[in-house]
């Protein structure tokens, strides 16, 4: 049971946590001043330390270098006792398990940090073997250049050992590399140690600078986690060394590990600045749901449109011009890199209104391939009487032609020069002449049902909202049943639906799989803490709508942990409660 460590915030595998000592330590952070090592059992037997709440005590241990045979590890395994003070166990990826300590020190870290695949394998194997609410500590490896990637992978604690050693060697560390002191004509830092001419800068000063630089980088990383934007930072920061780039690409290929820990919704910008953005969980998840859950309910032709810099698209000047030409006579779907395709009903749904990308007017081959694949899958799933492509030549046209060939369908192209030119807009309008318009009621109902499909699964919209009335105006739609009882409301910040208690009951009574959290015998108000969780569905993700039920209460709310983490954790907020009914 973890008594002295608690996770307060999450950004993928990276977390903001608190090591609850006499003076609390915010993680990810440096552990040098608060760790006390009880010693290695390789050299002699050790007495169990008394420990105290001012230090994280590493219990007597045997560390194994990377590559040690598993039989040797098993033969020399340590039985860690239960203690009543903040403690840490030393583990290898192969021997890691729940020893009841607050932190776990990864032995052999020096053998994996520097190797993308080996690092990924060791971190995931260890992280999944130890409790979700325990801290992972890597010693002797952190530098200002690599610590962001370490944290991104799931590391909570590091020390300054490597920064100190390299400083004594006369190596000056920065977030993008290291320099020998004799290479520096001036000091590229303004920390206290660097407040002197380069000629007076000694190796002792270099040690102080290196530690300062590591602390500063950790502060940046913590702030990035709090704002939900660590991945944006990583995509640039990891470019400074090949193994770091390889490492985060290795994690991109570990869908289960990363997806389980990545929130469903955020209210922060997703910066798509590199082609690696195409592999982000948020991007892949959106594309997968659009092409496997969403189904168009419009009988009108499809009009493919280019995206706009302004989000949501409908508020941009260009899309206002497209709207004037289309006039509700067609179903609008925007094409964009890196998202893929965005039906008009999902333009607010994360990350469709939250991303920003680099606009050069040219698409890379990876971008074309990805968007073409998403569009192909979308059109295989949704049938339209006509497909009109109102897109520019560069990038978009190539994507459309690839899909035409793959599906053996014909697109009608309406752009001459620029999509918003007078000729192009006139072509678009005339191409749709004679098509019937859909009404406001149809548009609103289709929007609510499309969001339900995306959020809860294929067919959920029709199952949950077969007969409804809509109140208020887009994007603050409120869903009522035939008896005028409110079932749900649209949340404009995320483009999702939030249920009332009546909506939650309808969800439970339907055939749509609900995401359920089982709690102990109490009525939650405000939030549900981890100790009160009895069980939770494995597919719950941070941000999911969840039904919360126990012997004394039925409630609806939003998950603050993944389902597996809810079950494993002994501290922290598992879910925020919106509405509750006591039994």
């Amino acid at each position: 049971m973890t008594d002295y460590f608690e996770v307060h915030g999450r950004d993928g595998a990276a977390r903001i946590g608190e090591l609850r000592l006499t003076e609390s330590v915010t993680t990810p952070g440096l552990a040098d001043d608060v760790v006390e090592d009880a010693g290695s059992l390789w050299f002699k037997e050790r007495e169990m330390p008394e420990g105290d709440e001012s230090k994280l005590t590493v219990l007597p241990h045997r560390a194994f270098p990377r590559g040690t045979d598993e039989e040797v590890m098993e033969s020399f395994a340590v039985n860690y006792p239960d203690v009543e003070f903040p403690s840490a166990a030393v583990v290898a990826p192969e021997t890691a398990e729940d020893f009841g300590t607050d932190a776990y020190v990864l032995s052999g870290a020096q053998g994996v940090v520097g190797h993308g695949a080996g690092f990924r394998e060791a971190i995931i194997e260890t992280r999944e073997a130890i409790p979700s609410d325990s801290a992972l500590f890597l010693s002797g490896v952190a530098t200002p250049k690599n610590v962001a990637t370490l944290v991104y992978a799931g590391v909570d604690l590091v020390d300054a050992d490597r920064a100190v050693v390299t400083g004594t060697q006369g190596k000056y560390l920065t977030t993008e590399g290291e320099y020998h002191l004799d290479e520096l004509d001036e000091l590229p830092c303004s920390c206290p140690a660097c407040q002197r001419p380069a000629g007076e800068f000694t190796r002792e000063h270099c040690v102080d600078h290196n530690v300062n630089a590591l602390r500063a980088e950790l502060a940046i990383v913590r702030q990035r986690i709090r704002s939900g934007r660590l991945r944006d930072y990583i995509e640039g920061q990891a470019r400074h060394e090949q193994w770091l780039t390889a490492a985060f690409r290795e994690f991109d290929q570990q869908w289960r590990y990363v997806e389980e820990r990545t929130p469903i919704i955020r209210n922060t910008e997703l910066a798509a600045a590199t082609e690696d953005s195409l592999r982000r969980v948020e991007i892949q998840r959106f594309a997968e749901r659009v092409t496997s859950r969403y189904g168009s309910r419009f009988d009108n032709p499809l009009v493919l449109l280019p995206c706009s810099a302004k989000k949501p698209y409908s508020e941009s000047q260009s899309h206002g011009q497209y709207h004037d030409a289309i006039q509700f006579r067609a179903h609008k779907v925007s094409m964009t890199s890196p998202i893929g395709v965005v039906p008009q009903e999902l333009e607010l749904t994360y990350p469709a209104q939250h991303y920003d990308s680099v606009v050069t007017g040219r698409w890379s081959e990876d971008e074309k391939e990805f968007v073409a694949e998403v569009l192909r899958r979308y059109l295989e799933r949704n049938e339209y009487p006509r497909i009109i492509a109102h897109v520019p030549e560069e990038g978009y046209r190539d994507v459309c032609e690839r899909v035409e060939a793959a599906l053996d369908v014909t697109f009608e192209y309406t752009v001459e020069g620029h999509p918003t030119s007078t000729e192009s807009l006139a072509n678009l309008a005339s191409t749709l002449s004679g098509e019937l318009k859909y009404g406001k009621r149809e548009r609103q109902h289709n929007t609510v049902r499309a969001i339900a499909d995306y959020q809860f699964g294929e067919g959920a919209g029709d199952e949950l909202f077969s007969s409804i009335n809509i109140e208020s105006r887009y994007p603050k739609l409120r869903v009522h049943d035939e008896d005028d009882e409110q079932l749900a409301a649209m949340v404009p910040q995320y483009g999702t639906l939030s249920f009332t208690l009546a909506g939650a009951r309808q969800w439970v009574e339907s055939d749509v799989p609900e995401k359920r959290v089982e709690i102990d015998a109490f009525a939650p108000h405000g939030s549900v803490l981890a100790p009160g969780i009895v069980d939770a569905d494995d597919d719950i993700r941070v941000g999911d709508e969840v039904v919360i039920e126990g012997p004394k209460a039925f409630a609806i709310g939003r998950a603050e942990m993944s389902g597996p983490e809810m079950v494993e954790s002994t501290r922290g907020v598992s879910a925020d409660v919106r509405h509750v009914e006591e039994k």
Side-chain angles (χ1 to χ4, degrees):
M1 179 176 178
T2 304
D3 294 319
Y4 294 94
F5 181 73
E6 181 175 345
V7 179
H8 294 302
R10 297 159 185 80
D11 184 6
R15 299 102 60 87
I16 292 290
E18 179 185 5
L19 191 57
R20 294 177 177 272
L21 306 178
T22 304
E23 294 185 10
S24 291
V25 175
T26 300
T27 64
L30 290 178
D32 300 72
D33 296 335
V34 296
V35 168
E36 189 169 280
D37 190 351
S40 172
L41 294 169
W42 286 120
F43 306 105
K44 64 178 181 179
E45 290 298 316
R46 307 277 182 174
E47 292 186 4
M48 188 56 56
E50 294 183 3
D52 66 75
E53 296 195 357
S54 67
K55 297 286 185 179
L56 177 69
T57 301
V58 181
L59 301 176
H61 55 273
R62 292 190 182 95
F64 299 101
R66 182 68 174 168
T68 301
D69 188 274
E70 284 194 45
E71 290 186 4
V72 174
M73 294 185 186
E74 291 175 3
S75 299
F76 291 95
V78 175
N79 292 319
Y80 291 104
D82 291 330
V83 296
E84 296 182 357
F85 51 82
S87 62
V90 177
V91 298
E94 298 84 355
T95 64
E97 60 178 277
D98 183 358
F99 291 112
T101 56
D102 305 284
Y104 293 81
V105 184
L106 182 63
S107 68
Q110 294 88 344
V112 297
V113 170
H115 307 279
F119 173 70
R120 178 262 301 160
E121 181 181 330
I123 293 297
I124 292 180
E125 190 172 347
T126 305
R127 186 74 267 179
E128 294 195 330
I130 64 177
S132 296
D133 58 348
S134 61
L136 179 58
F137 182 8
L138 263 62
S139 177
V141 295
T143 68
K145 182 170 61 174
N146 71 23
V147 74
T149 302
L150 303 185
V151 172
Y152 175 77
V155 174
D156 302 289
L157 291 167
V158 295
D159 57 29
D161 286 3
R162 186 170 176 183
V164 170
V165 169
T166 54
T168 62
Q169 296 170 341
K171 296 177 182 178
Y172 185 98
L173 301 182
T174 71
T175 57
E176 49 82 27
E178 66 179 43
Y179 302 89
H180 288 277
L181 293 186
D182 57 9
E183 297 175 344
L184 295 173
D185 295 322
E186 58 181 298
L187 302 175
C189 175
S190 59
C191 77
C194 295
Q195 299 302 302
R196 53 184 48 80
E200 300 175 10
F201 193 80
T202 66
R203 294 192 175 194
E204 183 178 349
H205 296 136
C206 192
V207 169
D208 292 340
H209 157 78
N210 286 353
V211 176
N212 289 338
L214 182 55
R215 288 186 187 277
E217 182 68 358
L218 280 164
I220 291 173
V221 169
R222 288 193 295 269
Q223 187 54 40
R224 282 282 177 164
I225 297 172
R226 292 186 183 102
S227 64
R229 300 194 62 188
L230 180 59
R231 172 57 187 252
D232 300 348
Y233 185 67
I234 284 288
E235 287 192 16
Q237 178 61 23
R239 291 297 190 276
H240 294 308
E241 191 169 341
Q242 286 85 346
W243 90 264
L244 294 174
T245 302
F248 89 79
R249 287 178 176 172
E250 287 281 347
F251 277 90
D252 278 349
Q253 297 173 26
Q254 302 301 307
W255 173 261
R256 186 181 61 80
Y257 177 80
V258 182
E259 190 276 333
E260 180 182 304
R261 292 162 173 80
T262 302
I264 293 291
I265 54 175
R266 304 181 201 258
N267 197 23
T268 56
E269 180 183 286
L270 185 157
T274 74
E275 290 181 25
D276 287 305
S277 300
L278 295 171
R279 291 181 284 275
R280 290 184 63 153
V281 164
E282 299 95 323
I283 302 298
Q284 294 288 331
R285 181 192 278 151
F286 185 88
E288 190 277 331
R289 290 191 177 195
V290 166
T291 55
S292 67
R293 295 184 175 191
Y294 168 85
S296 173
R297 293 171 170 83
F298 292 97
D299 296 326
N300 307 71
L302 166 67
V303 173
L304 296 170
L305 298 170
C307 65
S308 63
K310 184 176 178 61
K311 315 292 187 306
Y313 304 134
S314 61
E315 295 183 6
S316 68
Q317 183 178 1
S318 60
H319 278 247
Q321 292 173 294
Y322 305 148
H323 172 75
D324 291 341
I326 295 170
Q327 286 293 311
F328 303 112
R329 293 176 294 178
H331 181 220
K332 294 179 290 187
V333 172
S334 298
M335 297 170 57
T336 178
S337 175
I339 303 293
V341 298
V342 182
Q344 64 188 40
E345 307 97 302
L346 301 180
E347 69 164 0
L348 297 181
T349 303
Y350 182 82
Q353 73 159 324
H354 304 82
Y355 78 97
D356 195 12
S357 59
V358 177
V359 179
T360 64
R362 299 177 181 177
W363 287 31
S364 69
E365 180 57 32
D366 284 350
E367 289 176 303
K368 292 178 182 178
E369 183 178 346
F370 175 73
V371 178
E373 174 63 14
V374 175
L375 179 58
R376 181 190 64 78
R377 291 167 58 194
Y378 177 87
L379 291 177
E380 285 180 334
R381 181 175 174 81
N382 295 281
E383 292 186 9
Y384 291 94
R386 300 166 64 194
I387 301 174
I388 299 159
H390 189 76
V391 295
E393 287 284 340
E394 180 58 44
Y396 293 95
R397 182 69 177 260
D398 190 4
V399 168
C400 289
E401 290 174 347
R402 294 184 188 196
V403 176
E404 279 186 288
L407 299 181
D408 193 24
V409 297
T410 301
F411 289 12
E412 302 173 52
Y413 295 96
T414 54
V415 170
E416 294 183 25
H418 194 275
T420 58
S421 69
T422 302
E423 295 79 5
S424 296
L425 294 172
N427 288 343
L428 179 58
S430 63
T431 300
L432 291 169
S433 63
E435 297 288 349
L436 298 177
K437 295 182 179 181
Y438 53 81
K440 177 181 178 181
R441 182 179 182 277
E442 181 180 1
R443 183 173 73 252
Q444 290 180 333
H445 285 216
N446 286 355
T447 295
V448 167
R449 289 168 179 150
I451 293 173
D453 288 345
Y454 179 93
Q455 194 171 347
F456 304 112
E458 181 181 10
D462 294 329
E463 175 73 19
L464 295 172
F465 304 122
S466 60
S467 183
I468 56 174
N469 297 310
I470 302 293
E471 292 190 4
S472 192
R473 299 177 60 184
Y474 181 85
K476 298 182 180 180
L477 303 179
R478 296 195 301 271
V479 186
H480 291 247
D481 64 15
E482 291 181 313
D483 298 323
D484 204 32
E485 185 168 20
Q486 185 173 336
L487 302 176
M490 184 174 172
V491 183
Q493 297 96 314
Y494 311 117
T496 56
L497 297 172
S498 62
F499 283 123
T500 62
L501 283 173
R505 291 191 194 93
Q506 186 158 307
W507 186 17
V508 171
E509 293 167 2
S510 75
D511 292 330
V512 177
E514 73 267 19
K515 298 192 175 184
R516 184 179 289 272
V517 177
E518 183 183 350
I519 60 173
D520 217 330
F522 66 96
H525 294 280
S527 60
V528 177
L529 300 180
I533 302 294
V534 175
D535 199 5
D537 289 340
D538 286 343
D539 61 348
I540 292 173
R541 301 292 178 261
V542 174
D544 265 333
E545 197 80 353
V546 289
V547 171
I548 304 161
E549 189 167 15
K552 293 189 175 182
F554 177 85
I556 187 71
R558 178 177 292 164
E560 293 296 326
M561 294 179 180
S562 68
E565 188 176 6
M566 288 183 186
V567 175
E568 290 182 18
S569 296
T570 56
R571 285 184 175 273
V573 175
S574 292
D576 286 331
V577 176
R578 186 182 311 113
H579 305 291
V580 62
E581 179 182 74
E582 297 188 27
K583 296 181 179 179

